Amino acid sequence: MGKNPMKKKVNKWIKKGKDPRSAHWQAALEATLKLFGPDLEPGRLIPMGPLEDEDLVVFEKALAVVDLSPNVSAAFIPPLLAGKLTPPDTVEELHRISKDAPSYQILISRPGKEIRILSAEISEHATRPGVDLFQSGAFLGNYDFENQSVCLEHLNKIIRAHVWKAEGWTREDHVAYTLNWFEKVTCLNSATVAVEKDFSFFHSPTLIKSNQIDAMFTLMTEDLLKRGKDETDPFGQAVLSMENLKQEGREAPLAAQIIEDGMLQQLNLMRTLDLVKFSDFTNAQSEKFKRGFSETVRYLEGQLA
């Protein structure tokens, strides 16, 4: 049998003069992310395992500030698992929380020829909440903060500086990034979710050769198409229920009505959070909005019905 690839990588790093402690710890972090791999989604912060109520509070705080480019994967690790992911005692500078305190960690990997790992401890119980960075078996540096609040306040800037991919975005990347942002806005019912407006087509419609109103309907369409296939989402459940009733030969709600209800919920959210200033629309924009609404309903009806 061949040598363990991770062990081979560690030996290579050490031969190049990297500190064995940081080399082994990066390997452990990479192995953890590989283990989580099937559950991770590029561009999204994904919780590993079920969350207790107290875990959900921390996750939502992190979700609001962790802004990822579409090629980057991130894992939110609650205490049940994070307690097992502890640096060895020989690496004192990496210890951020006592072993008996609930640890909340975020692991982010930036792909490339040499994977970069960002490891963050964001527990309010941490003695040193902050971020550690690793690449090629080397400990690149860290950021220490006085408490959880300050750590979260700076976390997105660190992510942006060290693991974001800012070049070579495709149209699909801009769509995925913007959709991820809107999903977080919807989940948290908040307009303060972190976003790089120069990369979001909702904020910068020219990224997809569009305009404000068309971009808004594009976002709504992408959101409902995705939710329509999700059996855990109320909109998806309504679509599935309609399909089941039709198959059983029973009277079902009109697809157009289900879609209109979903779109009105989206528009109400945008209005409530002041994401779109509908009151500032000109007469021409209002007419364009009406046409866009009807066209989107018809399109989604063809896709979901």
Side-chain angles (χ1 to χ4, degrees), residues 171 175 178-183 186 200-202 208 210-229 233 235 258-271 275-276 278 281 288-301 303-304:
R171 185 185 192 279
V175 170
T178 309
L179 181 57
N180 286 342
W181 162 77
F182 188 64
E183 288 175 349
T186 303
S200 161
F201 75 79
F202 180 81
I208 59 170
S210 188
N211 55 68
Q212 179 190 14
I213 294 176
D214 287 343
M216 178 182 68
F217 283 117
T218 297
L219 176 59
M220 293 167 63
T221 298
E222 294 292 337
D223 181 53
L224 290 181
L225 282 175
K226 183 175 181 180
R227 290 171 53 200
K229 300 174 184 177
D233 184 278
F235 179 76
I258 293 174
I259 292 166
E260 286 182 11
D261 289 346
M263 291 177 64
L264 289 173
Q265 289 175 5
Q266 293 172 315
L267 292 168
N268 185 55
L269 178 72
M270 292 179 183
R271 179 182 292 107
L275 298 177
V276 178
F278 295 99
F281 278 9
K288 185 177 180 63
F289 172 84
K290 292 176 184 177
R291 291 195 302 272
F293 188 94
S294 299
E295 290 169 0
T296 302
V297 171
R298 287 196 297 272
Y299 174 77
L300 287 171
E301 194 173 6
Q303 296 295 313
L304 297 172

Side-chain angles (χ1 to χ4, degrees), residues 101-117:
S103 170
Y104 289 94
Q105 299 181 33
I106 294 174
L107 285 184
I108 303 176
S109 66
R110 186 191 71 180
K113 185 176 180 181
E114 293 291 341
I115 295 174
R116 177 169 293 182
I117 302 287

Side-chain angles (χ1 to χ4, degrees), residues 37-217:
D39 297 317
L40 296 177
E41 298 179 39
R44 295 165 58 87
L45 176 65
I46 303 296
M48 296 298 103
L51 301 180
E52 302 292 340
D53 290 344
E54 58 269 26
D55 303 336
L56 188 59
V57 172
V58 182
F59 174 69
E60 289 183 346
K61 288 180 180 179
L63 191 64
V65 300
V66 173
D67 180 40
L68 305 168
S69 53
N71 69 319
V72 174
S73 299
F76 174 83
I77 310 176
L80 185 63
L81 296 175
K84 302 173 184 177
L85 190 62
T86 307
D89 294 336
T90 54
V91 197
E92 185 176 342
E93 61 269 29
L94 297 181
H95 284 267
R96 296 186 169 278
I97 190 168
S98 62
K99 292 182 179 180
D100 59 347
S103 170
Y104 289 94
Q105 299 181 33
I106 294 174
L107 285 184
I108 303 176
S109 66
R110 186 191 71 180
K113 185 176 180 181
E114 293 291 341
I115 295 174
R116 177 169 293 182
I117 302 287
L118 181 152
S119 173
E121 172 59 72
I122 62 169
S123 173
E124 64 178 345
H125 303 285
T127 53
R128 286 193 314 119
V131 174
D132 300 305
L133 295 160
F134 302 88
Q135 184 173 317
S136 304
F139 175 42
L140 300 182
N142 61 1
Y143 295 84
D144 297 333
F145 301 100
E146 58 188 74
N147 55 50
Q148 180 195 64
S149 178
V150 178
C151 179
L152 290 173
E153 181 183 338
H154 288 83
L155 184 56
N156 191 50
K157 297 175 185 175
I158 299 170
I159 292 171
R160 186 73 172 82
H162 293 285
V163 295
W164 245 67
K165 176 189 175 185
E167 299 83 24
W169 284 45
T170 64
R171 185 185 192 279
E172 289 72 23
D173 289 332
H174 290 295
V175 170
Y177 175 73
T178 309
L179 181 57
N180 286 342
W181 162 77
F182 188 64
E183 288 175 349
K184 290 189 286 185
V185 168
T186 303
C187 173
L188 300 175
N189 193 34
S190 171
T192 61
V193 171
V195 62
E196 291 290 337
K197 294 182 179 180
D198 290 343
F199 291 84
S200 161
F201 75 79
F202 180 81
H203 301 87
S204 303
T206 55
L207 290 170
I208 59 170
K209 299 180 180 179
S210 188
N211 55 68
Q212 179 190 14
I213 294 176
D214 287 343
M216 178 182 68
F217 283 117

